[in-house]
Amino acid sequence: MLSSLPLSLLFSALFQFQKVSASGASYTVSIPPAAPTNAIEVPADFFGFGYETAFLPHFDNAFSENMVNAIGSRMSKPLIIRIGGTSGDLVKVDLEQKEPAICVKGPSCPLSSQDTFTLGKAYFEVFKKFPNASMTIQAPMGDGMEMNNTMAYVRNAWQNLGHDRVAAIALGNEPNYYSWNAEEYVRHALEVESNITKEFNLQGEEARIFELGDIANDAAVSGNKYDITQVFDDHIDQNSQGKFAAEHYYQLNKNLAVYNEANLQQHVMNHTAILEHLASYEKSMQAVHQHHANLSFVLSEVGSVIGGGPTNFSGGFGAAIWAADFHLAAMARGIKRVSNTQRPEASHAFWIPDNSGPKTGRPVVQGIFPAAPFVADFVGKDASLGKVVELGVNGQGLFTAYAMYGLHSEKIERVALVNLQQWDASSKTTRGNKTVTLSVGNGVKSAVIRRLHADQGWSALGYDLGGAQENVTWAGEQWTYAVDQGMGHFPTGSMEQESVAVNGTVKVSVPDTEAVIVFFE
Ligand SMILES: *[C@@H]1O[C@H](CO)[C@@H](O)[C@H](O)[C@H]1NC(C)=O
Ligand SMILES: *[C@@H]1O[C@H](CO)[C@@H](O)[C@H](O)[C@H]1NC(C)=O
Ligand SMILES: *[C@@H]1O[C@H](CO)[C@@H](O)[C@H](O)[C@H]1NC(C)=O
Ligand SMILES: *[C@@H]1O[C@H](CO)[C@@H](O)[C@H](O)[C@H]1NC(C)=O
Ligand SMILES: *[C@@H]1O[C@H](CO)[C@@H](O)[C@H](O)[C@H]1NC(C)=O
Ligand SMILES: *[C@@H]1O[C@H](CO)[C@@H](O)[C@H](O)[C@H]1NC(C)=O
Ligand SMILES: *[C@@H]1O[C@H](CO)[C@@H](O)[C@H](O)[C@H]1NC(C)=O
Ligand SMILES: *[C@@H]1O[C@H](CO)[C@@H](O)[C@H](O)[C@H]1NC(C)=O
Ligand SMILES: *[C@@H]1O[C@H](CO)[C@@H](O)[C@H](O)[C@H]1NC(C)=O
């Protein structure tokens, strides 16, 4: 079993048979024609979104439905939306209340995830929306939370969602911030698990529905009270009702004095930094698998930047290049899902759903968004689902390559190339590029190349925020609120892709701050 072997060993084994050379601005990458034994099967529902609990009603609109469908329609399983977060442990259910959600207290009512909201019947009606998606629900827990309120939230969410669309139920959120120690948390969590199991009469395989952990970003490193290993050692999965084990991930999880170009390159658009940060999650995943070899390890709350920073830093096209590389690096290490979290005023959000975001005051799609269809298309759909490996490229942490093989054919289907080298039009310099020669063997005759592109470079905010000079596209398609309400459109009138003949090798040029997928035919 893969999960029982140290992944780092498998990766170094892979590097040994990759013939890789880097000279100036060109790389040669030999792609094993058949799937290497360490290639990892990628779940059809790898890509996900997340809405912070109290802000769910803000996403109750056609625009958000369109945004979710834009990605869900590229997937062969329902996209999973995680409804959860810090606010999910503070909410109070009041079915008599007319409004969906009212902020009653908190540090920046009604904007922050640390504010307390009361939820009315109309809040729970929103669980009927997004019929093509599934959702994970969070059972509210933590200091001062009463069991009747926990159960009222889960009951009303479940009834409106319908059993089939409940992807999982999380037992609280970031429990390593509760006043309880790990053992006390586990005791409370198992009581909630037991009450939910009884309430919905869950039996057999149906009872395996809980998401365990939801540990705060980087607990494994920062030792934030306790980490996921501790809750598993304290027998959180003693009833074998765990479906997912989860942790939270922000690429930049501290505040910086300045959010400038150099810091974006150093902390975010940087594969070495991504791998350094992912290493602690690989440890968590191994610890979880020692307890339960089959438990899927997911990142249930993910963002580029947890704290401040302007939108061109956290939610612009530079962040899209980060997201492209991060998702592929995560899937190649056996992580089973990434939920990209959102709240109307978060700068790292993929879209701002309504006019409540104080930074914009209107609905917008952010520059990071086209990373979502890029990742979904790399994962593939139906017969094109596959197994992934990261390919070794000596790109100094600023250039990466990933290969996807057919699940059954074992043949090379797609290669993704990500050029994280920063470039922006405001620099008035010529945009550089890397020329990659992919050596693919004789089984492949032709390929098409599609690009994740912005003329402006890393600071592009997308059409809604930046205007026509800051368009961001995937294969020539753009998603905006202003032009298409999230349906997607082609500014040049049609999809953009380049067809190339392949005779053993194929040459691809990847401009700085761009990512491409080569689809082999
Ligand atoms: C669900 O998906 C189908 C097929 O992609 C689409 O036609 C429909 O509009 C979607 N439904 C909603 C409510 O978004
Ligand atoms: C939860 O379960 C405990 C026993 O484990 C029981 O005393 C309590 O009534 C239950 N509460 C609810 C709201 O179901
Ligand atoms: C839970 O019980 C408390 C009394 O202990 C009550 O004030 C509160 O309204 C109840 N909450 C719900 C959601 O029923
Ligand atoms: C990328 O991150 C690594 C590890 O944190 C760091 O050593 C390196 O300097 C960073 N690269 C750039 C270009 O900032
Ligand atoms: C793990 O999954 C495999 C394949 O689905 C199954 O055969 C095996 O029994 C499972 N093992 C455990 C411990 O659940
Ligand atoms: C790539 O960069 C080289 C200079 O390093 C330049 O000559 C070439 O035209 C560029 N190619 C593309 C496709 O931009
Ligand atoms: C990024 O955004 C900040 C804040 O709006 C701005 O000061 C800076 O000039 C922008 N950088 C670029 C390269 O556009
Ligand atoms: C950017 O997108 C807008 C909206 O589709 C379009 O009108 C405009 O021509 C595009 N600009 C460029 C430079 O492609
Ligand atoms: C592939 O085609 C190029 C020219 O189009 C030629 O130079 C090269 O020798 C060919 N390679 C093989 C392996 O046939």
Side-chain angles (χ1 to χ4, degrees):
M1 266 307 289
L2 229 177
S3 53
S4 61
L5 289 170
L7 288 171
S8 52
L9 276 185
L10 290 168
F11 275 90
S12 53
L14 173 67
F15 290 149
Q16 283 160 18
F17 66 83
Q18 295 301 327
K19 184 178 140 275
V20 172
S21 70
S23 64
S26 67
Y27 303 111
T28 299
V29 181
S30 289
I31 298 162
T37 52
N38 63 323
I40 292 193
E41 183 172 341
V42 184
D45 54 7
F46 176 85
F47 189 92
F49 288 119
Y51 305 153
E52 174 73 39
T53 303
F55 300 86
L56 173 61
H58 293 275
F59 293 87
D60 183 10
N61 48 51
F63 171 42
S64 297
E65 293 266 11
N66 291 340
M67 294 304 278
V68 171
N69 278 322
I71 310 307
S73 61
R74 295 164 184 266
M75 297 168 45
S76 43
K77 277 175 94 179
L79 181 147
I80 298 174
I81 305 173
R82 175 232 186 187
I83 311 300
T86 305
S87 67
D89 283 339
L90 302 170
V91 290
K92 299 267 185 295
V93 177
D94 175 7
L95 296 178
E96 303 297 307
Q97 176 179 302
K98 290 273 180 300
E99 293 79 1
I102 301 176
C103 189
V104 291
K105 64 172 185 205
S108 49
C109 239
L111 303 178
S112 125
S113 56
Q114 291 166 33
D115 296 328
T116 299
F117 289 79
T118 54
L119 308 178
K121 200 162 175 289
Y123 172 90
F124 293 98
E125 296 286 327
V126 188
F127 282 99
K128 290 185 178 149
K129 304 299 176 64
F130 303 97
N132 290 333
S134 312
M135 293 186 183
T136 65
I137 308 170
Q138 176 180 322
M141 286 187 64
D143 305 314
M145 180 54 62
E146 293 181 282
M147 183 65 87
N148 64 342
N149 189 61
T150 301
M151 294 305 291
Y153 185 94
V154 174
R155 181 183 310 123
N156 285 285
W158 175 289
Q159 281 168 356
N160 287 296
L161 202 45
H163 187 170
D164 291 353
R165 291 206 300 133
V166 179
I169 302 172
L171 299 169
N173 174 72
E174 304 192 344
N176 46 338
Y177 286 128
Y178 296 167
S179 66
W180 302 322
N181 65 27
E183 203 183 339
E184 289 164 335
Y185 163 67
V186 168
R187 187 157 45 75
H188 282 93
L190 290 177
E191 200 180 323
V192 171
E193 182 181 280
S194 150
N195 282 9
I196 291 173
T197 305
K198 272 186 239 151
E199 164 114 16
F200 299 113
N201 191 25
L202 300 174
Q203 289 171 15
E205 194 53 19
E206 269 184 3
R208 209 167 69 83
I209 201 170
F210 294 94
E211 180 171 289
L212 308 177
D214 268 277
I215 297 286
N217 178 69
D218 240 1
V221 168
S222 63
N224 239 323
K225 245 179 166 170
Y226 54 83
D227 61 15
I228 201 163
T229 311
Q230 192 65 48
V231 292
F232 272 84
D233 287 348
D234 284 330
H235 312 292
I236 183 90
D237 199 23
Q238 62 178 259
N239 303 319
S240 299
Q241 287 182 252
K243 184 173 180 186
F244 303 112
E247 290 193 316
H248 299 172
Y249 183 107
Y250 288 88
Q251 181 57 39
L252 181 57
N253 63 330
K254 59 182 180 193
N255 290 316
L256 299 178
V258 283
Y259 292 87
N260 59 14
E261 180 164 8
N263 278 329
L264 182 64
Q265 179 84 84
Q266 185 185 340
H267 298 289
V268 182
M269 296 175 69
N270 180 343
H271 187 62
T272 310
I274 290 171
L275 293 193
E276 267 181 9
H277 197 162
L278 269 177
S280 71
Y281 295 82
E282 291 178 68
K283 278 202 198 115
S284 295
M285 181 163 50
Q286 283 164 19
V288 165
H289 286 162
Q290 266 160 21
H291 284 279
H292 186 158
N294 285 5
L295 205 50
S296 293
F297 183 88
V298 304
L299 299 176
S300 56
E301 182 182 312
V302 170
S304 59
V305 178
I306 203 168
T311 302
N312 65 19
F313 192 99
S314 320
F317 192 69
I321 296 299
W322 160 76
D325 190 57
F326 168 72
H327 282 80
L328 273 45
M331 71 175 70
R333 282 160 182 77
I335 287 168
K336 300 297 185 203
R337 187 168 69 253
V338 170
S339 294
N340 292 280
T341 192
Q342 341 210 77
R343 184 163 48 89
E345 78 285 12
S347 346
H348 63 252
F350 279 54
W351 71 94
I352 311 293
D354 61 7
N355 59 11
S356 72
K359 288 194 185 137
T360 60
R362 60 197 164 96
V364 298
V365 180
Q366 302 224 96
I368 189 174
F369 184 79
F374 173 93
V375 173
D377 285 359
F378 188 64
V379 171
K381 186 179 181 180
D382 301 326
S384 72
L385 285 165
K387 300 193 242 189
V388 71
V389 286
E390 180 171 347
L391 301 169
V393 178
N394 184 15
Q396 270 83 50
L398 299 181
F399 197 95
T400 58
Y402 303 85
M404 185 73 81
Y405 293 87
L407 210 49
H408 304 294
S409 72
E410 305 271 317
K411 286 197 325 216
I412 183 71
E413 299 278 350
R414 304 181 272 294
V415 167
L417 303 169
V418 186
N419 186 346
L420 298 114
Q421 177 72 55
Q422 223 172 19
W423 181 82
D424 196 69
S426 62
S427 69
K428 311 277 187 225
T429 59
T430 306
R431 193 174 202 158
N433 67 75
K434 308 285 182 292
T435 301
V436 184
T437 304
L438 300 174
S439 177
V440 290
N442 295 324
V444 176
K445 296 295 167 233
S446 64
V448 294
I449 302 167
R450 297 182 189 146
R451 298 176 182 276
L452 179 60
H453 175 79
D455 284 352
Q456 174 71 21
W458 68 262
S459 77
L461 298 176
Y463 179 78
D464 283 333
L465 284 171
Q469 296 314 304
E470 300 196 19
N471 289 355
V472 293
T473 54
W474 162 238
E477 187 166 11
Q478 167 162 259
W479 289 264
T480 70
Y481 179 76
V483 179
D484 57 53
Q485 285 74 52
M487 302 278 279
H489 73 283
F490 295 97
T492 61
S494 61
M495 181 191 238
E496 285 178 27
Q497 58 180 9
E498 302 140 55
S499 295
V500 288
V502 184
N503 66 350
T505 64
V506 57
K507 246 188 192 158
V508 187
S509 170
V510 189
D512 293 344
T513 306
E514 179 154 315
V516 309
I517 300 178
V518 183
F519 296 82
F520 296 109
E521 292 172 329

